[in-house]
Amino acid sequence: MAVALGSVSGTDSPYKTGSYTVEANDKNTLSMTGYFQLLAAQLKNQDMSNPMDNSELMAQMTQMAMVQSMTTMTDAMKNSTAVNTQTYAASLVGQEVTMAVTKENSYGIETPVDVKYAKVEYVNFTTGSPTIKLVDDEKEYSLTHLVGMGRVPNPFKDQTGESSGTGEGEGEGEPEVPKEPEE
C-alpha cells in the first residue's frame, strides 16, 4: 500500500516530507507553449462587447519573449562558466600549486588554517565540480581550496609567523623564533 501511496505523494513513505522549490518543480513556471495555450483560451473566451486591448496583448507577448531570452542567456552563461572552469582545472595538471589546508571549526564549517605545496596529479570531473588530486596526497581538494599557482606565501599565518592551523600542511618552512630582548 505504501508504494501505491508513494506514487501519489511523490515519496516511497507516506511519512516522508518533501521540499519543493521553483527549480525542482516545473509546475510553478510558464513556458512559451503554456503561454500561447493560455492566450488562445483567453481570446476564445473573451467578452465580445469588451475585447482584449491589442497593446496589452503585445506587452504580454513582449514580456514573455524577454523572459524566454533571459532564460536562454542564463543557461548559456552557466554552460560557458562550466566549460571555462573545466578548462582551467585541466590546465593545472602537472603544475605546482598552493592549496589551502582546512580544519573544521566549532560550527562545522571548513576554515583554512595552513597551505600545502604540491604538483597536481589529476583533476576529477565526475563529482559535479572539479576536484584536484595532488601528488603524494590521498585527499581530493575542491577547486575553491586553490590559493594560487606556484609557491604563494602562506596567507593564513598570524603576526608571529606561526601557522594558525594544525601544522599538518607543508607551510613555508619553520617559523622564526623570536629573539630575547638585549639588556
Side-chain angles (χ1 to χ4, degrees):
M1 180 70 181
V3 174
L5 185 62
S7 63
V8 174
S9 67
T11 65
D12 291 337
S13 169
Y15 305 107
K16 187 175 180 182
T17 59
S19 172
Y20 300 101
T21 62
V22 174
E23 294 84 18
N25 189 353
D26 288 335
K27 293 179 182 178
N28 293 339
T29 60
L30 182 64
S31 67
M32 221 29 184
T33 305
Y35 169 73
F36 282 122
Q37 288 173 345
L38 183 63
L39 180 63
Q42 196 175 14
L43 290 173
K44 180 180 174 185
N45 298 317
Q46 71 178 332
D47 182 11
M48 287 301 164
S49 63
N50 186 13
M52 198 171 168
D53 185 21
N54 286 342
S55 60
E56 182 183 334
L57 179 67
M58 290 305 292
Q60 285 180 0
M61 290 180 75
T62 303
Q63 287 175 348
M64 198 62 192
M66 287 177 61
V67 167
Q68 185 179 23
S69 296
M70 290 185 70
T71 302
T72 303
M73 186 176 70
T74 301
D75 291 343
M77 291 296 292
K78 284 180 184 177
N79 290 339
S80 176
T81 301
V83 168
N84 286 340
T85 301
Q86 288 181 346
T87 303
Y88 174 70
S91 73
L92 296 175
V93 175
Q95 300 291 322
E96 183 177 26
V97 295
T98 304
M99 295 299 287
V101 176
T102 60
K103 180 180 178 183
E104 193 171 298
N105 66 13
S106 59
Y107 299 108
I109 299 172
E110 293 285 324
T111 55
V113 292
D114 203 359
V115 297
K116 178 176 216 149
Y117 304 109
K119 284 193 176 188
V120 176
E121 185 176 342
Y122 65 80
V123 177
N124 184 355
F125 295 113
T126 61
T127 58
S129 60
T131 55
I132 299 170
K133 168 74 170 66
L134 302 177
V135 174
D136 297 329
D137 192 353
E138 294 85 35
K139 182 177 178 183
E140 285 191 11
Y141 295 88
S142 168
L143 196 57
T144 59
H145 289 111
L146 182 66
V147 175
M149 299 294 295
R151 290 185 169 263
V152 176
N154 189 344
F156 308 113
K157 286 191 175 188
D158 60 15
Q159 301 297 342
T160 63
E162 293 182 8
S163 173
S164 59
T166 61
E168 294 175 7
E170 298 173 10
E172 239 183 333
E174 296 296 317
E176 292 183 24
V177 178
K179 294 182 181 178
E180 299 273 334
E182 294 180 17
E183 292 183 32

